[in-house]
Amino acid sequence: MQSKPGTKSVSLLAHSPELAADVVDCVVTLPTFRRPQHLLKTLGSLAAQNTARRFVVIVIENEAEERAGAEAAAPLFARKEVEGLVIVAHERGNCAAYNAGWRTALEAFPSFRHLLVIDDDEIAAPGWLEAMCATAERLEADIVGGPQVPVFADGSTDRFRTHPVFLPPYEKTGGVPALFSSGNLLVSRHVLEAMEQPFLDLRFNFMGGGDSDFLSRAAQKGYRLAWCAEAPVHETVPARRLEADWIRARSLRNGVISTLVEKKKRAGERLGAPRVLGKSLALLALSPLRCLRSLFATGSVSSAMYPVYVGLGRVLAEFGYANEQYREPDKN
């Protein structure tokens, strides 16, 4: 199998034998980069799903040279412990990997209804897939998000659990106005068939935020969004991501992404750009008050500074600042 979702090819490395592509209900896409051991844990959690739905997994290896994740996963597919495909996306980057997996799903499995996304640092609860699909069907939602519950490398760091960087955006199941992350996501097939390609804008490839932009564009097109609180995935958070400089960089990045996504959303509007700038300046001006309010409520300086960094990131984006945290994955 060869296809070209970006500027370079996607190649098939492994597939489970006797795979009946035309009876697949759901496709789970799983991008991976230099986390072979955790990838196996993620695949194990998918193999243990409690559901009668016929689903397959597409592992998208984004390290085209060493391919450690793909090599670790391939035997599971050969033994049919997990059904699906292992592909290599030769073009580096977060968005390139997602695009390769989503396009492969459309090409390889003509009858699936739901595409789900999980990352290679996450573990799905046993009822994850069933809960996501059932919520989409019950609420007649086109796209469903779910919580990414942090599991910290140091058990003494539970104080970070309520930090805005790690806190899920919603608490209850139901329709929502916006979604922001693809780390725990369901997208209906008809959405993918209608959205322009590449699905995720490659300008966000090493920054992140391509998923937020995709979800914003889908909402603009009128697709219904929902949240499923009963479908958590547990995300392993390494100690590196609890350091002050990483949290500060992620907070600034979130502000940058917010501006870039809103600029695209208002690109066709009269005075759209000045409105985005005005909002950014207003948020930055108000951020000290929000900082003080958060400090009194939580006692956490790190949490309190979040709105300041987001506001600053929004304004810096107007001058071309971009924090590409995925450019050096070993430091992310």
Side-chain angles (χ1 to χ4, degrees), residues 30-52:
L30 171 51
T32 187
F33 186 84
R34 296 180 182 173
R35 290 191 184 117
Q37 296 307 314
H38 204 293
L39 172 64
L40 294 178
K41 295 179 182 178
T42 305
L43 287 169
S45 74
L46 295 177
Q49 289 298 295
N50 293 328
T51 182

Short mmCIF file of all heavy atoms in Angstrom, two decimals, residues 30-52:
data_model
loop_
_atom_site.label_atom_id
_atom_site.label_comp_id
_atom_site.label_asym_id
_atom_site.label_seq_id
_atom_site.Cartn_x
_atom_site.Cartn_y
_atom_site.Cartn_z
N LEU A 30 -3.56 5.33 16.04
CA LEU A 30 -2.61 5.41 17.16
C LEU A 30 -1.25 5.84 16.64
O LEU A 30 -0.42 5.02 16.23
CB LEU A 30 -2.55 4.03 17.84
CG LEU A 30 -1.49 3.76 18.91
CD1 LEU A 30 -1.48 4.83 19.98
CD2 LEU A 30 -1.73 2.38 19.53
N PRO A 31 -0.97 7.15 16.61
CA PRO A 31 0.35 7.61 16.18
C PRO A 31 1.40 7.33 17.24
O PRO A 31 1.10 7.38 18.45
CB PRO A 31 0.15 9.12 15.98
CG PRO A 31 -1.00 9.47 16.86
CD PRO A 31 -1.88 8.26 16.94
N THR A 32 2.63 7.03 16.82
CA THR A 32 3.68 6.72 17.79
C THR A 32 5.01 7.29 17.32
O THR A 32 5.30 7.35 16.13
CB THR A 32 3.79 5.20 18.02
OG1 THR A 32 4.71 4.95 19.09
CG2 THR A 32 4.26 4.47 16.77
N PHE A 33 5.82 7.69 18.32
CA PHE A 33 7.15 8.23 18.04
C PHE A 33 8.05 7.97 19.24
O PHE A 33 7.90 8.59 20.29
CB PHE A 33 7.07 9.74 17.75
CG PHE A 33 8.37 10.35 17.31
CD1 PHE A 33 8.75 10.31 15.98
CD2 PHE A 33 9.21 10.94 18.22
CE1 PHE A 33 9.95 10.87 15.56
CE2 PHE A 33 10.42 11.51 17.83
CZ PHE A 33 10.79 11.48 16.49
N ARG A 34 8.95 7.00 19.08
CA ARG A 34 9.99 6.70 20.08
C ARG A 34 9.44 6.36 21.46
O ARG A 34 10.03 6.69 22.48
CB ARG A 34 10.97 7.87 20.19
CG ARG A 34 11.76 8.12 18.91
CD ARG A 34 12.72 9.28 19.08
NE ARG A 34 13.43 9.55 17.84
CZ ARG A 34 14.24 10.61 17.66
NH1 ARG A 34 14.42 11.47 18.65
NH2 ARG A 34 14.83 10.79 16.50
N ARG A 35 8.30 5.65 21.51
CA ARG A 35 7.77 5.16 22.79
C ARG A 35 7.35 3.70 22.63
O ARG A 35 6.20 3.35 22.88
CB ARG A 35 6.56 5.99 23.23
CG ARG A 35 6.86 7.42 23.67
CD ARG A 35 5.61 8.01 24.32
NE ARG A 35 5.77 9.39 24.68
CZ ARG A 35 5.05 10.39 24.18
NH1 ARG A 35 4.11 10.14 23.25
NH2 ARG A 35 5.22 11.63 24.58
N PRO A 36 8.24 2.82 22.21
CA PRO A 36 7.81 1.44 21.90
C PRO A 36 7.23 0.70 23.10
O PRO A 36 6.26 -0.05 22.94
CB PRO A 36 9.10 0.77 21.40
CG PRO A 36 10.21 1.62 21.94
CD PRO A 36 9.67 3.01 21.96
N GLN A 37 7.79 0.91 24.29
CA GLN A 37 7.29 0.17 25.45
C GLN A 37 5.90 0.65 25.85
O GLN A 37 5.02 -0.16 26.17
CB GLN A 37 8.27 0.33 26.63
CG GLN A 37 9.64 -0.29 26.35
CD GLN A 37 9.53 -1.75 25.91
OE1 GLN A 37 8.80 -2.54 26.52
NE2 GLN A 37 10.24 -2.12 24.86
N HIS A 38 5.71 1.95 25.85
CA HIS A 38 4.38 2.44 26.21
C HIS A 38 3.37 2.12 25.11
O HIS A 38 2.19 1.87 25.39
CB HIS A 38 4.39 3.94 26.49
CG HIS A 38 3.26 4.37 27.38
ND1 HIS A 38 1.94 4.32 27.00
CD2 HIS A 38 3.25 4.82 28.67
CE1 HIS A 38 1.18 4.75 27.99
NE2 HIS A 38 1.95 5.05 29.02
N LEU A 39 3.80 2.12 23.86
CA LEU A 39 2.92 1.74 22.76
C LEU A 39 2.33 0.35 23.00
O LEU A 39 1.13 0.12 22.77
CB LEU A 39 3.69 1.77 21.44
CG LEU A 39 2.95 1.23 20.22
CD1 LEU A 39 1.73 2.07 19.89
CD2 LEU A 39 3.89 1.14 19.01
N LEU A 40 3.15 -0.57 23.48
CA LEU A 40 2.65 -1.92 23.75
C LEU A 40 1.59 -1.90 24.85
O LEU A 40 0.61 -2.65 24.79
CB LEU A 40 3.81 -2.84 24.13
CG LEU A 40 4.83 -3.11 23.03
CD1 LEU A 40 5.96 -4.00 23.56
CD2 LEU A 40 4.17 -3.77 21.81
N LYS A 41 1.77 -1.04 25.84
CA LYS A 41 0.76 -0.90 26.89
C LYS A 41 -0.55 -0.34 26.32
O LYS A 41 -1.65 -0.79 26.68
CB LYS A 41 1.27 0.01 28.01
CG LYS A 41 2.46 -0.54 28.76
CD LYS A 41 2.91 0.45 29.83
CE LYS A 41 4.15 -0.05 30.56
NZ LYS A 41 4.61 0.94 31.58
N THR A 42 -0.42 0.64 25.44
CA THR A 42 -1.62 1.22 24.81
C THR A 42 -2.34 0.17 23.99
O THR A 42 -3.57 0.03 24.07
CB THR A 42 -1.23 2.42 23.91
OG1 THR A 42 -0.49 3.37 24.69
CG2 THR A 42 -2.46 3.09 23.35
N LEU A 43 -1.60 -0.60 23.21
CA LEU A 43 -2.21 -1.65 22.40
C LEU A 43 -2.85 -2.71 23.29
O LEU A 43 -3.92 -3.24 22.96
CB LEU A 43 -1.16 -2.28 21.49
CG LEU A 43 -0.70 -1.42 20.32
CD1 LEU A 43 0.52 -2.03 19.64
CD2 LEU A 43 -1.84 -1.25 19.30
N GLY A 44 -2.23 -3.02 24.40
CA GLY A 44 -2.83 -3.98 25.33
C GLY A 44 -4.17 -3.50 25.86
O GLY A 44 -5.11 -4.29 26.00
N SER A 45 -4.26 -2.21 26.14
CA SER A 45 -5.53 -1.67 26.62
C SER A 45 -6.59 -1.69 25.53
O SER A 45 -7.79 -1.86 25.81
CB SER A 45 -5.34 -0.24 27.15
OG SER A 45 -5.16 0.70 26.11
N LEU A 46 -6.19 -1.56 24.28
CA LEU A 46 -7.15 -1.63 23.18
C LEU A 46 -7.60 -3.07 22.96
O LEU A 46 -8.78 -3.33 22.67
CB LEU A 46 -6.53 -1.07 21.90
CG LEU A 46 -6.20 0.43 21.93
CD1 LEU A 46 -5.53 0.87 20.63
CD2 LEU A 46 -7.46 1.27 22.17
N ALA A 47 -6.68 -4.01 23.09
CA ALA A 47 -7.05 -5.43 22.95
C ALA A 47 -8.03 -5.87 24.03
O ALA A 47 -8.79 -6.83 23.83
CB ALA A 47 -5.80 -6.29 23.00
N ALA A 48 -8.06 -5.16 25.16
CA ALA A 48 -8.93 -5.52 26.29
C ALA A 48 -10.25 -4.76 26.29
O ALA A 48 -10.97 -4.79 27.30
CB ALA A 48 -8.18 -5.27 27.60
N GLN A 49 -10.61 -4.13 25.21
CA GLN A 49 -11.86 -3.35 25.17
C GLN A 49 -13.08 -4.25 25.29
O GLN A 49 -13.15 -5.32 24.67
CB GLN A 49 -11.95 -2.55 23.88
CG GLN A 49 -10.98 -1.39 23.79
CD GLN A 49 -11.24 -0.36 24.88
OE1 GLN A 49 -12.28 0.28 24.91
NE2 GLN A 49 -10.27 -0.21 25.78
N ASN A 50 -14.05 -3.82 26.09
CA ASN A 50 -15.31 -4.54 26.26
C ASN A 50 -16.34 -3.97 25.27
O ASN A 50 -17.02 -2.99 25.57
CB ASN A 50 -15.83 -4.38 27.69
CG ASN A 50 -14.93 -5.07 28.70
OD1 ASN A 50 -14.31 -6.08 28.39
ND2 ASN A 50 -14.85 -4.51 29.89
N THR A 51 -16.42 -4.57 24.12
CA THR A 51 -17.37 -4.10 23.11
C THR A 51 -17.65 -5.22 22.11
O THR A 51 -16.79 -6.07 21.86
CB THR A 51 -16.81 -2.87 22.36
OG1 THR A 51 -17.77 -2.41 21.42
CG2 THR A 51 -15.50 -3.20 21.64
N ALA A 52 -18.84 -5.20 21.56
CA ALA A 52 -19.19 -6.15 20.50
C ALA A 52 -18.92 -5.56 19.12
O ALA A 52 -19.11 -6.24 18.11
CB ALA A 52 -20.67 -6.54 20.62
#
